[in-house]
Amino acid sequence: MTVGVALNAADAPNQVDATVRLAQEAAAAGLRSAWFGQTFGADSPQLAAIVGREVPGLQVGTSAIPVFGRHPLPVAGQALTAQAATHGRYHLGLALGTKLLTETGFGLPFERPIARLREFLTVLRQLTQTGTADFHGELLTATTPVPARVSGAEDGVPILVAAMGPQALRVSGELADGILPYLAGPRALADHIVPALTAAAEAAGRPAPRVVALVPGVVTDDVDAVRRKATEYLAFYERIPSYARVIELSGGRRASDLAVIGDEKTVAAQVRRYRDAGATEVVFSGTEMAGDEDRRRTWALLGELAS
Protein backbone atom coordinates (compact mmCIF):
# COMPACT_ATOMS: atom_id res chain seq x y z
CA MET A 1 0.00 0.00 0.00
CA THR A 2 1.28 3.45 -0.92
CA VAL A 3 1.69 5.86 2.00
CA GLY A 4 2.04 9.59 1.45
CA VAL A 5 1.59 13.01 3.00
CA ALA A 6 -0.28 16.22 2.24
CA LEU A 7 2.08 19.18 2.41
CA ASN A 8 1.10 22.68 3.51
CA ALA A 9 3.72 25.40 3.95
CA ALA A 10 1.39 28.36 3.49
CA ASP A 11 2.82 30.19 6.51
CA ALA A 12 6.46 29.95 5.39
CA PRO A 13 8.36 33.05 4.15
CA ASN A 14 8.41 31.43 0.69
CA GLN A 15 5.78 28.74 0.25
CA VAL A 16 7.32 27.15 -2.82
CA ASP A 17 10.81 26.85 -1.34
CA ALA A 18 9.44 25.51 1.95
CA THR A 19 7.23 23.00 0.16
CA VAL A 20 10.18 21.63 -1.79
CA ARG A 21 12.17 21.23 1.44
CA LEU A 22 9.28 19.38 3.10
CA ALA A 23 8.91 17.11 0.08
CA GLN A 24 12.62 16.28 0.14
CA GLU A 25 12.33 15.41 3.82
CA ALA A 26 9.27 13.26 3.19
CA ALA A 27 10.99 11.36 0.40
CA ALA A 28 14.06 10.82 2.57
CA ALA A 29 11.78 9.31 5.22
CA GLY A 30 10.55 6.75 2.68
CA LEU A 31 7.20 8.27 1.80
CA ARG A 32 5.92 7.59 -1.70
CA SER A 33 3.64 10.54 -2.53
CA ALA A 34 3.05 14.21 -1.76
CA TRP A 35 -0.30 15.94 -2.22
CA PHE A 36 -1.22 19.62 -2.34
CA GLY A 37 -4.53 21.24 -1.47
CA GLN A 38 -6.22 23.97 -3.46
CA THR A 39 -8.04 26.99 -2.07
CA PHE A 40 -7.44 30.58 -3.15
CA GLY A 41 -3.69 30.63 -2.60
CA ALA A 42 -0.90 28.69 -4.29
CA ASP A 43 -1.71 26.87 -7.53
CA SER A 44 -1.56 23.19 -6.65
CA PRO A 45 -0.68 21.78 -10.11
CA GLN A 46 2.26 24.19 -10.29
CA LEU A 47 3.40 23.16 -6.81
CA ALA A 48 3.11 19.51 -7.79
CA ALA A 49 5.09 20.08 -10.99
CA ILE A 50 7.86 21.93 -9.16
CA VAL A 51 8.10 19.36 -6.39
CA GLY A 52 8.01 16.50 -8.88
CA ARG A 53 10.95 18.04 -10.75
CA GLU A 54 12.92 18.76 -7.58
CA VAL A 55 12.26 15.42 -5.88
CA PRO A 56 12.63 12.64 -8.48
CA GLY A 57 10.71 9.45 -7.74
CA LEU A 58 8.07 11.07 -5.54
CA GLN A 59 4.50 10.76 -6.80
CA VAL A 60 2.71 14.12 -6.65
CA GLY A 61 -0.92 15.14 -6.84
CA THR A 62 -3.53 17.78 -6.18
CA SER A 63 -6.22 17.19 -3.60
CA ALA A 64 -8.32 18.75 -4.83
CA ILE A 65 -9.30 21.40 -7.41
CA PRO A 66 -12.97 22.46 -7.17
CA VAL A 67 -14.92 22.21 -10.42
CA PHE A 68 -16.79 25.47 -9.77
CA GLY A 69 -15.02 28.59 -10.97
CA ARG A 70 -12.91 26.58 -13.43
CA HIS A 71 -13.17 25.16 -16.94
CA PRO A 72 -11.86 21.78 -18.11
CA LEU A 73 -9.68 23.27 -20.87
CA PRO A 74 -7.24 25.21 -18.63
CA VAL A 75 -7.39 22.52 -15.92
CA ALA A 76 -6.41 19.89 -18.50
CA GLY A 77 -3.56 22.12 -19.66
CA GLN A 78 -2.31 22.49 -16.09
CA ALA A 79 -2.55 18.74 -15.46
CA LEU A 80 -0.86 17.70 -18.69
CA THR A 81 1.95 20.21 -18.14
CA ALA A 82 2.50 18.87 -14.62
CA GLN A 83 2.47 15.33 -16.00
CA ALA A 84 5.14 16.17 -18.57
CA ALA A 85 7.21 18.00 -15.97
CA THR A 86 7.17 14.99 -13.63
CA HIS A 87 7.53 12.33 -16.35
CA GLY A 88 4.31 10.57 -15.48
CA ARG A 89 4.16 11.02 -11.69
CA TYR A 90 1.30 13.52 -11.46
CA HIS A 91 -2.25 12.76 -10.27
CA LEU A 92 -5.11 15.22 -10.72
CA GLY A 93 -7.65 15.51 -7.93
CA LEU A 94 -11.00 17.24 -8.39
CA ALA A 95 -13.64 18.28 -5.88
CA LEU A 96 -17.19 19.52 -5.89
CA GLY A 97 -16.14 22.34 -3.60
CA THR A 98 -18.49 23.89 -1.06
CA LYS A 99 -21.44 26.25 -1.20
CA LEU A 100 -19.67 28.63 1.20
CA LEU A 101 -16.47 29.03 -0.80
CA THR A 102 -18.13 28.88 -4.22
CA GLU A 103 -20.74 31.53 -3.57
CA THR A 104 -18.69 33.87 -1.38
CA GLY A 105 -15.44 33.47 -3.30
CA PHE A 106 -16.55 33.27 -6.93
CA GLY A 107 -20.03 34.77 -6.70
CA LEU A 108 -21.37 31.70 -8.47
CA PRO A 109 -24.48 29.78 -7.42
CA PHE A 110 -23.63 26.35 -6.04
CA GLU A 111 -26.19 24.58 -8.21
CA ARG A 112 -26.29 21.10 -9.77
CA PRO A 113 -22.83 20.11 -8.50
CA ILE A 114 -23.18 16.44 -9.52
CA ALA A 115 -24.20 17.33 -13.06
CA ARG A 116 -21.29 19.74 -13.29
CA LEU A 117 -18.90 17.08 -11.98
CA ARG A 118 -20.13 14.56 -14.57
CA GLU A 119 -19.67 16.98 -17.45
CA PHE A 120 -16.31 18.18 -16.13
CA LEU A 121 -15.00 14.61 -15.87
CA THR A 122 -16.33 13.69 -19.31
CA VAL A 123 -14.49 16.60 -20.93
CA LEU A 124 -11.31 16.08 -18.90
CA ARG A 125 -11.05 12.45 -19.94
CA GLN A 126 -11.30 13.45 -23.61
CA LEU A 127 -8.70 16.20 -23.20
CA THR A 128 -6.17 14.25 -21.15
CA GLN A 129 -6.42 11.11 -23.28
CA THR A 130 -6.64 12.60 -26.77
CA GLY A 131 -5.79 16.29 -26.51
CA THR A 132 -9.09 17.15 -28.17
CA ALA A 133 -12.68 17.74 -27.12
CA ASP A 134 -16.01 18.38 -28.77
CA PHE A 135 -18.48 18.56 -25.91
CA HIS A 136 -21.72 20.52 -25.69
CA GLY A 137 -23.45 19.82 -22.40
CA GLU A 138 -26.08 21.50 -20.27
CA LEU A 139 -23.54 23.29 -18.10
CA LEU A 140 -20.25 23.14 -20.00
CA THR A 141 -19.06 23.56 -23.55
CA ALA A 142 -15.54 22.59 -24.58
CA THR A 143 -14.15 22.33 -28.09
CA THR A 144 -10.60 22.40 -29.38
CA PRO A 145 -10.23 24.44 -32.58
CA VAL A 146 -6.50 23.96 -31.98
CA PRO A 147 -4.95 20.88 -30.31
CA ALA A 148 -4.77 20.81 -26.52
CA ARG A 149 -1.95 18.30 -26.36
CA VAL A 150 1.21 18.61 -24.24
CA SER A 151 4.26 16.78 -25.51
CA GLY A 152 5.55 14.37 -22.88
CA ALA A 153 2.12 13.66 -21.40
CA GLU A 154 0.77 11.34 -24.06
CA ASP A 155 -0.15 8.66 -21.54
CA GLY A 156 -2.71 10.95 -19.93
CA VAL A 157 -3.30 11.84 -16.28
CA PRO A 158 -4.94 9.77 -13.52
CA ILE A 159 -8.06 11.62 -12.37
CA LEU A 160 -9.41 11.25 -8.85
CA VAL A 161 -12.37 12.91 -7.14
CA ALA A 162 -12.87 13.95 -3.53
CA ALA A 163 -16.13 12.00 -3.51
CA MET A 164 -17.92 10.66 -0.44
CA GLY A 165 -21.66 11.01 -1.09
CA PRO A 166 -23.69 8.42 -3.05
CA GLN A 167 -24.17 10.51 -6.19
CA ALA A 168 -20.56 11.70 -6.37
CA LEU A 169 -19.36 8.14 -5.80
CA ARG A 170 -21.55 6.89 -8.65
CA VAL A 171 -20.12 9.44 -11.07
CA SER A 172 -16.57 8.78 -9.88
CA GLY A 173 -16.95 5.03 -10.27
CA GLU A 174 -18.15 5.54 -13.84
CA LEU A 175 -15.67 8.19 -14.99
CA ALA A 176 -12.72 8.66 -12.61
CA ASP A 177 -9.69 6.55 -11.71
CA GLY A 178 -10.25 6.81 -7.99
CA ILE A 179 -11.41 8.91 -5.07
CA LEU A 180 -9.84 11.09 -2.37
CA PRO A 181 -12.07 10.82 0.72
CA TYR A 182 -11.14 13.05 3.68
CA LEU A 183 -12.36 12.60 7.26
CA ALA A 184 -13.94 9.32 6.21
CA GLY A 185 -12.99 6.75 8.82
CA PRO A 186 -12.64 3.00 8.30
CA ARG A 187 -16.30 2.38 9.17
CA ALA A 188 -17.56 4.83 6.55
CA LEU A 189 -15.13 3.47 3.98
CA ALA A 190 -15.97 -0.18 4.52
CA ASP A 191 -19.75 0.16 4.92
CA HIS A 192 -20.64 2.99 2.55
CA ILE A 193 -17.94 4.49 0.36
CA VAL A 194 -15.96 1.58 -1.07
CA PRO A 195 -19.01 -0.63 -1.83
CA ALA A 196 -20.82 2.22 -3.64
CA LEU A 197 -17.73 3.16 -5.63
CA THR A 198 -16.92 -0.41 -6.59
CA ALA A 199 -20.49 -1.14 -7.62
CA ALA A 200 -20.58 1.92 -9.88
CA ALA A 201 -17.32 0.94 -11.54
CA GLU A 202 -18.47 -2.64 -12.06
CA ALA A 203 -21.75 -1.46 -13.59
CA ALA A 204 -19.76 0.69 -16.02
CA GLY A 205 -17.46 -2.22 -16.91
CA ARG A 206 -14.45 -0.55 -15.33
CA PRO A 207 -11.82 -1.89 -12.91
CA ALA A 208 -12.04 -1.13 -9.20
CA PRO A 209 -10.94 2.49 -8.67
CA ARG A 210 -8.21 3.61 -6.29
CA VAL A 211 -9.22 4.78 -2.81
CA VAL A 212 -6.73 7.35 -1.54
CA ALA A 213 -7.80 8.00 2.04
CA LEU A 214 -6.64 11.36 3.39
CA VAL A 215 -6.28 11.16 7.15
CA PRO A 216 -5.33 13.89 9.65
CA GLY A 217 -2.77 12.28 11.91
CA VAL A 218 0.24 12.80 14.15
CA VAL A 219 2.57 10.52 16.09
CA THR A 220 3.07 12.16 19.47
CA ASP A 221 3.34 11.59 23.20
CA ASP A 222 1.28 14.69 23.95
CA VAL A 223 -2.01 13.31 22.72
CA ASP A 224 -4.27 15.72 24.60
CA ALA A 225 -2.51 18.86 23.35
CA VAL A 226 -2.50 17.69 19.72
CA ARG A 227 -6.13 16.61 20.00
CA ARG A 228 -7.04 20.13 21.13
CA LYS A 229 -5.19 21.58 18.13
CA ALA A 230 -6.96 19.11 15.85
CA THR A 231 -10.34 20.12 17.23
CA GLU A 232 -9.63 23.75 16.38
CA TYR A 233 -7.95 23.02 13.04
CA LEU A 234 -10.69 20.70 11.74
CA ALA A 235 -13.77 22.51 13.08
CA PHE A 236 -14.32 24.22 9.72
CA TYR A 237 -15.32 20.92 8.12
CA GLU A 238 -18.13 20.38 10.60
CA ARG A 239 -20.00 23.26 8.90
CA ILE A 240 -20.02 21.47 5.53
CA PRO A 241 -22.89 18.98 5.11
CA SER A 242 -20.91 16.38 3.14
CA TYR A 243 -18.21 16.24 5.79
CA ALA A 244 -20.69 16.29 8.68
CA ARG A 245 -22.41 13.28 7.12
CA VAL A 246 -19.26 11.23 6.65
CA ILE A 247 -18.01 12.09 10.16
CA GLU A 248 -21.26 10.70 11.54
CA LEU A 249 -21.05 7.59 9.33
CA SER A 250 -17.53 7.08 10.67
CA GLY A 251 -18.82 7.05 14.25
CA GLY A 252 -17.47 10.49 15.12
CA ARG A 253 -19.13 13.47 16.75
CA ARG A 254 -16.47 16.06 15.96
CA ALA A 255 -14.13 16.16 12.97
CA SER A 256 -11.21 15.72 15.34
CA ASP A 257 -12.60 12.33 16.35
CA LEU A 258 -11.33 11.11 12.96
CA ALA A 259 -7.79 12.38 13.58
CA VAL A 260 -5.30 9.57 14.20
CA ILE A 261 -3.22 10.71 17.17
CA GLY A 262 -1.01 8.61 19.42
CA ASP A 263 2.24 6.70 19.63
CA GLU A 264 3.73 4.60 16.83
CA LYS A 265 1.82 1.46 17.76
CA THR A 266 -1.51 3.28 17.90
CA VAL A 267 -1.04 5.09 14.59
CA ALA A 268 0.25 2.01 12.77
CA ALA A 269 -2.80 0.04 13.91
CA GLN A 270 -5.10 2.76 12.60
CA VAL A 271 -3.36 2.85 9.23
CA ARG A 272 -3.92 -0.89 8.97
CA ARG A 273 -7.63 -0.33 9.70
CA TYR A 274 -7.86 1.99 6.70
CA ARG A 275 -6.18 -0.62 4.53
CA ASP A 276 -8.55 -3.32 5.76
CA ALA A 277 -11.51 -1.02 5.05
CA GLY A 278 -10.54 -0.80 1.38
CA ALA A 279 -8.09 2.08 1.15
CA THR A 280 -5.48 1.39 -1.52
CA GLU A 281 -3.41 4.36 -0.35
CA VAL A 282 -3.24 6.39 2.87
CA VAL A 283 -2.14 10.02 2.88
CA PHE A 284 -1.54 11.76 6.20
CA SER A 285 -2.33 15.45 6.53
CA GLY A 286 -2.14 17.87 9.43
CA THR A 287 1.49 18.94 9.69
CA GLU A 288 0.01 22.18 11.03
CA MET A 289 -1.15 20.28 14.13
CA ALA A 290 2.35 19.13 15.06
CA GLY A 291 5.72 20.58 15.81
CA ASP A 292 8.76 19.62 13.75
CA GLU A 293 9.75 16.82 16.12
CA ASP A 294 6.35 15.12 15.98
CA ARG A 295 6.14 15.65 12.22
CA ARG A 296 9.47 13.91 11.68
CA ARG A 297 8.42 11.14 14.01
CA THR A 298 5.16 10.74 12.08
CA TRP A 299 6.91 10.63 8.73
CA ALA A 300 9.46 8.12 10.00
CA LEU A 301 6.67 5.73 10.98
CA LEU A 302 4.81 6.25 7.70
CA GLY A 303 8.03 5.63 5.78
CA GLU A 304 8.43 2.32 7.58
CA LEU A 305 4.84 1.37 6.75
CA ALA A 306 5.38 2.35 3.11
CA SER A 307 8.33 -0.02 2.84
Side-chain angles (χ1 to χ4, degrees), residues 20-288:
V20 169
R21 287 193 294 270
L22 284 173
Q24 291 169 335
E25 186 177 330
L31 291 159
R32 306 291 179 82
S33 67
W35 296 79
F36 310 95
Q38 181 68 62
T39 52
F40 297 136
D43 183 76
S44 56
Q46 286 193 64
L47 270 181
I50 292 167
V51 167
R53 295 285 285 189
E54 294 285 334
V55 191
L58 193 66
Q59 301 286 317
V60 291
T62 57
S63 178
I65 298 173
V67 295
F68 281 91
R70 292 166 175 84
H71 188 278
L73 275 167
V75 170
Q78 289 177 295
L80 290 167
T81 301
Q83 190 67 304
T86 60
H87 296 273
R89 290 179 282 118
Y90 175 71
H91 308 258
L92 172 62
L94 298 176
L96 293 175
T98 68
K99 181 180 177 68
L100 173 66
L101 295 181
T102 299
E103 296 190 348
T104 58
F106 292 110
L108 297 173
F110 189 73
E111 297 175 348
R112 302 186 66 191
I114 300 300
R116 181 172 293 273
L117 175 64
R118 179 178 291 279
E119 292 192 5
F120 210 103
L121 282 170
T122 299
V123 177
L124 264 182
R125 295 212 73 89
Q126 293 178 14
L127 290 167
T128 55
Q129 291 176 359
T130 70
T132 62
D134 185 11
F135 182 85
H136 303 267
E138 294 183 68
L139 303 173
L140 294 171
T141 295
T143 63
T144 48
V146 296
R149 299 181 181 88
V150 175
S151 176
E154 289 83 4
D155 292 335
V157 180
I159 302 172
L160 302 97
V161 179
M164 296 184 291
Q167 295 182 74
L169 289 168
R170 186 179 306 115
V171 174
S172 300
E174 294 173 6
L175 296 171
D177 298 301
I179 60 170
L180 295 156
Y182 181 54
L183 294 175
R187 183 190 302 179
L189 286 176
D191 295 345
H192 301 278
I193 292 174
V194 173
L197 178 72
T198 303
E202 289 178 350
R206 304 184 68 234
R210 294 161 56 192
V211 179
V212 183
L214 283 94
V215 182
V218 178
V219 175
T220 183
D221 292 326
D222 197 352
V223 173
D224 291 340
V226 174
R227 183 73 64 184
R228 285 193 296 271
K229 288 183 182 178
T231 299
E232 179 181 353
Y233 174 70
L234 298 171
F236 166 80
Y237 295 97
E238 298 165 9
R239 301 162 54 191
I240 303 172
S242 59
Y243 286 105
R245 174 183 176 274
V246 81
I247 290 166
E248 182 179 359
L249 290 175
S250 300
R253 185 178 62 86
R254 301 291 307 270
S256 57
D257 294 337
L258 278 302
V260 175
I261 302 170
D263 60 15
E264 282 82 356
K265 182 178 179 181
T266 299
V267 172
Q270 286 293 93
V271 170
R272 286 192 288 271
R273 286 190 64 207
Y274 278 90
R275 177 197 62 198
D276 294 342
T280 58
E281 302 158 60
V282 172
V283 174
F284 261 42
S285 66
T287 54
E288 304 87 343

